[in-house]
Amino acid sequence: VQLQASGGGLVQDGGSLRLTCATSGSTFSAYSMGWYRQAPGKERELVALLDRGGSAKYADSVAGRFIVSRDYVGSMPKLTLQMNSLKVEDTGVYYCNAQIFVRTAQGMDEIRPYWGQGTQVTVSS
């Protein structure tokens, strides 16, 4: 499974951007799909995710400004993050993530994380 994030760029404070995460490779069953970000000098943090049932969860700092959604290209999910009213503190590298069910050689199901390559979002004042 491969995840490809795109849509980052430079935007002014108060502007909007839309990030997209395309998936490819083998079909899969995901426990969740979401977006994380990492600002310079900080740890990676959860921004937004969708669980298997389609319920969304947001970081407090982005709730009410960001919207995460999922649709399908054929059988492969595509995750979108609509970011509105962007702030300087939203600057960072944004990564898409999928927590995927994998059957081990022992016949056990486990959840493994898959990551996209990251896309830079820069918000200027």
Side-chain angles (χ1 to χ4, degrees):
V1 175
Q2 293 83 43
L3 282 68
Q4 180 76 34
S6 61
L10 173 64
V11 65
Q12 287 192 325
D13 186 15
S16 297
L17 280 175
R18 176 175 291 183
L19 305 184
T20 299
C21 177
T23 62
S24 61
S26 302
T27 57
F28 59 90
S29 176
Y31 178 77
S32 67
M33 292 187 69
W35 292 93
Y36 290 72
R37 69 186 178 192
Q38 188 165 18
K42 295 187 177 182
E43 293 187 353
R44 193 173 297 187
E45 63 175 357
L46 174 68
V47 175
L49 66 78
L50 284 174
D51 65 19
R52 294 185 72 187
S55 296
K57 175 182 177 180
Y58 297 95
D60 290 344
S61 60
V62 308
R65 299 187 296 121
F66 290 11
I67 300 172
V68 62
S69 61
R70 178 178 54 209
D71 56 19
Y72 288 84
V73 180
S75 60
M76 303 303 288
K78 182 179 73 174
L79 195 69
T80 300
L81 184 68
Q82 177 66 43
M83 304 186 294
N84 301 318
S85 302
L86 282 161
K87 304 176 180 180
V88 172
E89 51 264 40
D90 293 319
T91 294
V93 179
Y94 283 67
Y95 298 90
C96 61
N97 166 271
Q99 302 289 107
I100 295 176
F101 289 102
V102 175
R103 178 65 58 89
T104 68
Q106 293 73 35
M108 303 290 289
D109 286 334
E110 63 181 31
I111 298 173
R112 293 181 185 173
Y114 286 74
W115 294 94
Q117 84 288 5
T119 184
Q120 176 70 45
V121 171
T122 303
V123 184
S124 64
S125 58

